[in-house]
Amino acid sequence: MLSGMLCLLFNKYVKVQRFIAVAGSLLAFVFAVMLVSVIDRLDTVVMQLGGWEAPFGITLFVDRLAALLLCITALLALAVSVFSFAEDVLSSRKKRIGFYPAFLFMLAGISGAFLTGDLFNLYVWFEVMLISSFVLITLGSKKDQLQGGIKYVVINFVASSFLLLAIGILYGTTGNTNLAALSESLRDPSLKAITQLAAVLLLVSFGIKSALFPFYFWLPSSYHTPPIAITAIIAGLLTKVGVYTLIRTFTLLFPLQQHHLIQQLILVLSCITMIIGVLGAINQQDIRKILAFNLISKIGFMVFGLAVYTPIAICGAIFYMLHHILVKTNLFFVAGIIGKIAGSYEVKKIKGLYDHFSLLSFLFMILSLTLVGIPPFSGFWGKFMLVDAGLKVKEYLPISIMLVTSLLTLYSMMLIWKKCFLSEYAKEKQQLPLERVYVKKHYHMYLASVFLLLITLWISFSPTWLIDYTRKAAEQVLQPANYINAVLKK
């Protein structure tokens, strides 16, 4: 947030804003890594802003899940800041009129959502995210951007309205919006009807935020309209905030072992989300839309882990979320490079990339295999834990849907590979630049992509430490008593 305010002070100096964005992101990443280390020793860290004790003040709470997501948010902020240096990714005008401040304020909103221990302040951070991301999507004011931005903001305002309704009901009933205090109050059997109503309202609100079926339609309509640097960060992070709030809500406020009907509803929605997403992907011709629909299907994977509601399932959902944030952001980076080389994102208009761009071909193929979950890449480890958890509770149909979805995801990515990379191009119609010249000219784009790929390969070939950390994170979120005791100091 401080970095965003500093960028506003230097709104006419793009190079100064670049430096502030990179420096702020780097500092945030360093502090997030330190926080992950601290949480590994202390389990939780609680801060009561202004000295007001919970449940009266504003509570900030960090456990292993929040710390991991803060860390990866700052990591992506750093990568996107570097990627956006390339002049043809964002025009200088867009950078001057507010890209960096809006980008940094959106990241502040995302971080605040991961940190907050209060339902009303979660709404506040959602609005910070919504306003900032709306500015980013519509930056440049092209017709398709405005259309996509309007769809995005309207459906997210609806989500915020459902959230406010739930907050009003819960506050009117219990007198609290603090998550820990609410968790205690909602144990009262006499509040069962109110509890179920609030749970459904929050499921709708967070389902919209995460693009869960049937609330997903805004995502493919808006994600392909802004410049690719903006799409990459929005696709990588915003829906994961929705998944995070679903996990936090239905483990802390409405534990699913006590709400079996909602648990079954979430399970059904996750399966339909997988199917709808991947079927949408194989019917698209725009690379950005293919990636957007594949994103929707993978949201189903994560929510499936919540629906199974066992430690290994939640562990798999968290691991898969972290993997997907890295890979999906990087795939949009690669899509941006393809779009700049070919001048189009339509697969039928792009040809001959394999013969001329070996590094780009390598990046796309490795990321595609990782997205699908081919062993030993990171997607495999998260999917393996989810499948294992599903088999243990005998959810055979959802597991079958998940595996079929993976095959269809591979099919959709290999269609891009076949049409854009392996096909030959007509020299008289399309003149591709030399790779060494292009890489030299746009090294920022490649640098950001290779950086995220190295992180992805690290957790792919050395996943033990992250699996162990996410296992502990899953055990934490499934024990709400620890959260309550830490916040209320019991």
Side-chain angles (χ1 to χ4, degrees):
M1 188 169 284
L2 177 60
S3 299
M5 290 187 285
L6 286 173
C7 284
L8 287 174
L9 296 177
F10 295 94
N11 64 316
K12 294 182 180 179
Y13 304 96
V14 174
K15 291 183 178 179
V16 176
Q17 291 185 56
R18 285 177 176 176
F19 174 78
I20 293 171
V22 172
S25 301
L26 182 59
L27 281 173
F29 178 62
V30 171
F31 292 142
V33 171
M34 292 169 61
L35 191 57
V36 168
S37 178
V38 169
I39 294 297
D40 198 33
R41 298 196 312 270
L42 301 181
D43 288 338
T44 59
V45 172
V46 181
M47 182 179 181
Q48 307 293 352
L49 295 185
W52 290 87
E53 294 298 324
F56 307 107
I58 296 175
T59 300
L60 299 182
F61 176 88
V62 188
D63 58 2
R64 285 182 173 83
L65 175 57
L68 279 173
L69 290 172
L70 286 169
C71 191
I72 203 163
T73 297
L75 181 69
L76 257 63
L78 183 60
V80 173
S81 296
V82 173
F83 187 84
S84 67
F85 279 18
E87 286 298 329
D88 58 353
V89 175
L90 284 166
S91 69
S92 295
R93 177 175 172 268
K94 289 178 182 178
K95 291 176 183 176
R96 284 198 302 272
I97 64 176
F99 166 71
Y100 287 112
F103 168 65
L104 291 163
F105 281 127
M106 185 186 73
L107 292 167
I110 292 170
S111 300
F114 293 146
L115 284 166
T116 187
D118 183 281
L119 202 56
F120 183 77
N121 286 296
L122 177 63
Y123 164 77
V124 173
W125 289 119
F126 272 178
E127 294 309 292
V128 173
M129 279 192 311
L130 175 60
I131 294 169
S132 303
S133 54
F134 177 69
V135 170
L136 290 173
I137 289 174
T138 58
L139 207 57
S141 302
K142 293 182 179 179
K143 183 179 179 180
D144 60 342
Q145 286 183 282
L146 292 175
Q147 289 177 340
I150 289 171
K151 293 174 186 176
Y152 171 80
V153 80
V154 168
I155 192 63
N156 276 277
F157 271 135
V158 172
S160 297
S161 300
F162 278 104
L163 176 55
L164 274 179
L165 281 172
I167 291 170
I169 291 169
L170 292 172
Y171 182 74
T173 305
T174 67
N176 285 306
T177 58
N178 182 279
L179 293 175
L182 274 174
S183 182
E184 277 200 323
S185 300
L186 294 176
R187 295 176 183 177
D188 187 347
S190 64
L191 300 178
K192 184 177 180 180
I194 293 295
T195 300
Q196 290 178 338
L197 175 59
V200 171
L201 289 172
L202 290 177
L203 175 60
V204 172
S205 177
F206 300 150
I208 293 173
K209 298 287 186 184
S210 59
L212 191 66
F213 177 88
F215 314 112
Y216 66 90
F217 54 87
W218 58 270
L219 191 151
S221 300
S222 56
Y223 272 28
H224 69 288
T225 57
I228 208 72
I230 294 171
T231 303
I233 191 69
I234 290 177
L237 283 174
L238 286 193
T239 51
K240 310 313 182 297
V241 178
V243 174
Y244 167 80
T245 49
L246 283 172
I247 293 174
R248 186 68 77 189
T249 300
F250 290 101
T251 56
L252 181 61
L253 299 184
F254 316 105
L256 288 183
Q257 75 265 25
Q258 301 170 16
H259 298 82
H260 297 295
L261 185 60
I262 292 178
Q263 183 178 12
Q264 290 303 309
L265 176 60
I266 292 175
L267 180 63
V268 171
L269 293 180
S270 71
C271 293
I272 300 176
T273 303
M274 296 180 208
I275 297 169
I276 293 294
V278 78
L279 291 180
I282 62 178
N283 282 286
Q284 299 300 319
Q285 292 298 315
D286 188 301
I287 295 176
R288 297 165 300 178
K289 287 190 175 183
I290 293 172
L291 295 178
F293 274 103
N294 275 330
L295 187 158
I296 293 169
S297 71
K298 299 305 178 286
I299 295 296
F301 284 34
M302 302 168 210
V303 177
F304 169 76
L306 172 63
V308 173
Y309 208 73
T310 61
I312 187 65
I314 300 293
C315 175
I318 296 170
F319 189 99
Y320 199 90
M321 189 183 345
L322 298 170
H323 137 82
H324 193 262
I325 289 172
L326 288 170
V327 173
K328 185 58 67 174
T329 302
N330 207 352
L331 276 169
F332 274 105
F333 282 175
V334 172
I337 298 172
I338 293 172
K340 296 308 172 184
I341 291 171
S344 173
Y345 292 100
E346 295 289 329
V347 293
K348 61 184 179 182
K349 297 180 181 179
I350 306 169
K351 298 183 184 301
L353 294 178
Y354 180 78
D355 290 333
H356 295 82
F357 286 85
S358 56
L359 177 56
L360 182 64
S361 303
F362 172 78
L363 288 170
F364 180 83
M365 177 54 73
I366 295 298
L367 290 171
S368 297
L369 296 177
T370 307
L371 178 70
V372 174
I374 302 297
F377 297 110
S378 56
F380 168 76
W381 302 113
K383 188 168 65 176
F384 177 82
M385 287 185 278
L386 291 171
V387 170
D388 182 45
L391 292 175
K392 287 180 178 176
V393 296
K394 299 181 180 180
E395 294 288 356
Y396 301 121
L397 179 59
I399 292 301
S400 301
I401 292 173
M402 184 181 295
L403 296 176
V404 171
T405 298
S406 296
L407 289 174
L408 291 176
T409 302
L410 178 62
Y411 174 74
S412 69
M413 299 305 290
M414 289 304 102
L415 280 179
I416 300 175
W417 177 256
K418 178 182 177 182
K419 293 181 179 180
C420 299
F421 287 85
L422 297 185
S423 57
E424 295 183 2
Y425 74 101
K427 294 182 180 180
E428 66 275 8
K429 294 183 179 180
Q430 181 188 35
Q431 185 64 45
L432 295 178
L434 293 174
E435 182 174 30
R436 64 177 183 274
V437 175
Y438 192 87
V439 173
K440 185 177 180 180
K441 183 179 178 182
H442 302 286
Y443 71 93
H444 295 106
M445 300 164 73
Y446 279 91
L447 180 63
S449 182
V450 171
F451 171 64
L452 289 187
L453 178 65
L454 291 175
I455 301 293
T456 304
L457 293 177
W458 178 36
I459 65 173
S460 296
F461 294 100
S462 181
T464 306
W465 66 273
L466 187 56
I467 292 174
D468 183 59
Y469 202 97
T470 52
R471 177 182 56 79
K472 293 177 181 177
E475 291 170 353
Q476 270 191 312
V477 298
L478 288 172
Q479 296 173 350
N482 294 339
Y483 186 107
I484 297 168
N485 295 337
V487 173
L488 301 180
K489 295 184 177 179
K490 292 194 172 183

